[in-house]
Amino acid sequence: MIKIATSILSSKNRKECIEKLNKTDTDYIHIDVMDNIFVPNYQLPIEEVNELGKNSKKPLDVHLMVENPESFIKNIAINNIKSITIHLEINKNINNLIELIKKYNYQVGIAIKPNTDINKIDKYINLIDKVIIMSVEPGFGGQTFIDSSVDKIKSIRSKRKNIIIEVDGGINNETIKKISNDADIAVVGSYIINNNDYQEAINSLKN
Ligand code: DX5
Ligand code: ZN
């Protein structure tokens, strides 16, 4: 069954949101970090990530939409991080960043924006644990799912069978049906956060 990573990006009170999510069966809590350079939005300075992360009883799935992830990776200090994902499009040495994330024993993910040629992942595919297919333009929650993301799941799978495939953006109880047979993890933000009953929203995604 597809796993759910709940994104707290659109929540108005993130601490309270994490406390509520601790009581659900979300598989992960997804933390979006933005630097206002790689994407036109600024969210969650490192201090806030470290503070919030301590409250989570769920493994954290950290998504770095930042041009320079190195200092972030070095300064993150939470003990329940499952994975750290960087973007394929940044102008940095990706191999070095993969090694750095591995040094801390986190799973390594690479995220791909909707208009990036997915074959650019080929040279890293055997070095990483996970690919995040962005099904919206990164930067904001609450956008519409881009349908052409669906075919990308099979093409990543054909490159490497046992890679973890996560899809991020615009997922709700309808759009999840397009990916639930083939993807491993769905990142869901506003659909869960805007529902008073988080668990009920999660149930409707898993059915
Ligand atoms: C977009 C973020 C997503 C987003 C998902 O840049 O990476 O994680 O918050 O939120 P929804 O589900 O609202 O698209
Ligand atoms: Zn994300």
Side-chain angles (χ1 to χ4, degrees):
M1 188 193 280
I2 195 159
K3 293 193 162 130
I4 303 295
T6 305
S7 163
I8 62 165
L9 179 67
S10 303
S11 155
K12 291 192 180 67
N13 183 337
R14 295 194 174 112
K15 187 163 184 267
E16 205 179 276
C17 178
I18 289 182
E19 279 157 9
K20 274 175 77 179
L21 285 170
N22 283 338
K23 297 184 190 124
T24 69
D25 61 12
T26 188
D27 297 283
Y28 305 99
I29 291 180
H30 181 90
I31 308 276
D32 290 301
V33 180
M34 309 181 183
D35 62 354
N36 209 16
I37 299 169
F38 184 72
V39 288
N41 194 356
Y42 186 80
Q43 294 293 335
L44 293 205
I46 180 77
E47 297 76 20
E48 199 180 333
V49 172
N50 283 337
E51 192 50 44
L52 281 171
K54 284 186 205 137
N55 297 309
S56 171
K57 295 197 170 85
K58 305 287 180 181
L60 298 175
D61 167 26
V62 179
H63 177 194
L64 299 180
M65 286 161 275
V66 302
E67 188 52 48
N68 191 2
E70 187 178 333
S71 67
F72 194 94
I73 297 163
K74 287 181 173 164
N75 290 307
I76 195 159
I78 319 169
N79 49 27
N80 55 348
I81 294 177
K82 178 79 178 179
S83 65
I84 293 196
T85 296
I86 57 172
H87 263 269
L88 182 59
E89 298 85 2
I90 59 176
N91 290 310
K92 288 287 176 304
N93 185 315
I94 300 276
N95 284 304
N96 289 350
L97 290 165
I98 292 172
E99 284 313 309
L100 181 66
I101 297 170
K102 282 186 179 170
K103 219 175 83 186
Y104 291 97
N105 286 320
Y106 309 135
Q107 285 185 347
V108 185
I110 294 188
I112 311 176
K113 296 209 289 180
N115 293 326
T116 301
D117 173 4
I118 58 162
N119 296 321
K120 289 194 175 149
I121 195 74
D122 292 0
K123 56 183 171 181
Y124 308 113
I125 194 116
N126 291 316
L127 306 174
I128 60 177
D129 301 287
K130 171 164 91 173
V131 170
I132 298 189
I133 297 170
M134 291 306 301
S135 42
V136 297
E137 229 13 92
F140 301 92
Q143 303 182 76
T144 304
F145 183 86
I146 299 171
D147 274 326
S148 56
S149 317
V150 177
D151 289 343
K152 294 180 185 171
I153 304 173
K154 282 203 170 78
S155 71
I156 299 281
R157 189 70 75 206
S158 72
K159 295 177 191 292
R160 198 181 128 200
K161 207 169 164 258
N162 66 348
I163 192 127
I164 300 167
I165 301 181
E166 179 166 324
V167 183
D168 183 1
I171 298 176
N172 55 38
N173 60 334
E174 287 302 321
T175 51
I176 199 164
K177 293 176 190 156
K178 302 178 186 184
I179 64 160
S180 52
N181 287 334
D182 304 307
D184 301 293
I185 304 173
V187 178
V188 184
S190 38
Y191 178 73
I192 294 173
I193 301 305
N194 294 339
N195 193 313
N196 284 330
D197 187 338
Y198 289 0
Q199 185 58 52
E200 186 187 284
I202 293 166
N203 290 344
S204 75
L205 292 161
K206 291 201 173 192
N207 284 329

